[in-house]
Amino acid sequence: YSCLSEVVLEGEFRDGMLHGRGSIYWPRGQRMDAVWNRGKMEQRRYTFADGLSYRENDWDYCAYPDRRFYNCVVNGLKPAGEVLKTNDQPTKIIPPYCYDTGAGMFDPDSNCVTSYRNCKKVKISLGSDKDVLKIPTAIESAWIKNNCRKGWSEPTGHQEWLHEYWQSGTADFATLPHVSQDDEAGIWWQRYKYKYFKQLKIM
């Protein structure tokens, strides 16, 4: 069965519902193999487009201490200066103050996920832009902001588990500036770099 969204359902059906073994295929290459009981999924295995399989319990992909993307696991790490920012290549260009959801670009101002074709941030007029892919719920929006790649750089603050990388002494990270929409992403940090790197004694 093919949906208008180009999602394909393949498997055993009963009374118009998936019943038994079947698979769902997404246009970007993802796949869900599952066992259904009268339309209800009882067992499942999700595989990403690159072949990485998702494990619901104890899934440690891209987590400390092994932060490698699956691309790097398969093809090896890149040298310094060529480290991958995302698993999918080439890395998508995300405008400042927007987020990369993996399926599109999330703009908090419009609360829309739009196509990557929007190469620069624009105001989205709801109902008039064909590139709007999704309007996330409040829970989804919060998850995106906490977990997805940002279109700008900012200091992360003190990370206790990274203590082995720091010299003796402490730095007052609370005084580090926070990015504001009045600053251009990637430039504001340069203005403060010398002062705070000197404070950390690494310049």
Side-chain angles (χ1 to χ4, degrees):
Y1 179 83
S2 297
C3 304
L4 293 177
S5 60
E6 299 182 7
V7 174
V8 176
L9 285 70
E10 184 180 273
E12 303 169 358
F13 286 79
R14 180 176 179 180
D15 297 330
M17 298 180 290
L18 282 165
H19 184 76
R21 296 186 179 277
S23 300
I24 303 175
Y25 300 89
W26 282 268
R28 297 182 71 239
Q30 308 97 311
R31 170 177 177 168
M32 177 80 79
D33 299 306
V35 176
W36 278 268
N37 183 6
R38 293 185 176 274
K40 182 179 180 180
M41 188 183 298
E42 295 187 337
Q43 300 177 32
R44 59 187 175 184
R45 183 182 64 196
Y46 182 83
T47 305
F48 293 91
D50 58 9
L52 174 65
S53 293
Y54 174 70
R55 188 171 64 246
E56 294 194 40
N57 298 316
D58 301 321
W59 200 52
D60 56 359
Y61 169 67
C62 207
Y64 181 80
D66 187 355
R67 295 292 305 275
R68 292 177 299 167
F69 292 121
Y70 187 66
N71 191 317
C72 298
V73 173
V74 174
N75 301 311
L77 290 170
K78 296 288 185 180
E82 299 180 19
V83 177
L84 302 183
K85 290 184 177 181
T86 61
N87 187 64
D88 293 335
Q89 294 298 307
T91 299
K92 305 294 189 302
I93 298 175
I94 305 298
Y97 321 117
C98 293
Y99 298 79
D100 181 6
T101 69
M105 176 183 69
F106 174 68
D107 181 352
D109 290 343
S110 63
N111 195 45
C112 291
V113 176
T114 62
S115 169
Y116 288 118
R117 288 191 294 269
N118 291 321
C119 61
K120 57 184 178 180
K121 186 178 180 183
V122 294
K123 294 295 182 181
I124 302 298
S125 177
L126 296 181
S128 64
D129 195 315
K130 64 181 180 181
D131 284 338
V132 173
L133 304 177
K134 180 181 178 66
I135 300 178
T137 64
I139 294 176
E140 290 172 330
S141 296
W143 189 93
I144 290 171
K145 293 176 183 178
N146 289 329
N147 295 278
C148 291
R149 180 173 69 95
K150 301 175 180 179
W152 73 98
S153 298
E154 64 180 8
T156 60
H158 178 63
Q159 303 289 324
E160 186 65 31
W161 56 272
L162 282 175
H163 68 275
E164 65 268 27
Y165 295 104
W166 299 97
Q167 300 178 6
S168 60
T170 59
D172 184 12
F173 282 92
T175 62
L176 284 173
H178 295 286
V179 68
S180 70
Q181 296 196 14
D182 296 328
D183 290 317
E184 294 182 21
I187 297 177
W188 68 274
W189 175 241
Q190 300 297 324
R191 296 199 291 270
Y192 298 91
K193 181 175 68 173
Y194 179 81
K195 175 182 176 181
Y196 288 98
F197 275 26
K198 186 175 181 180
Q199 180 181 352
L200 293 173
K201 301 178 181 179
I202 57 177
M203 281 193 70

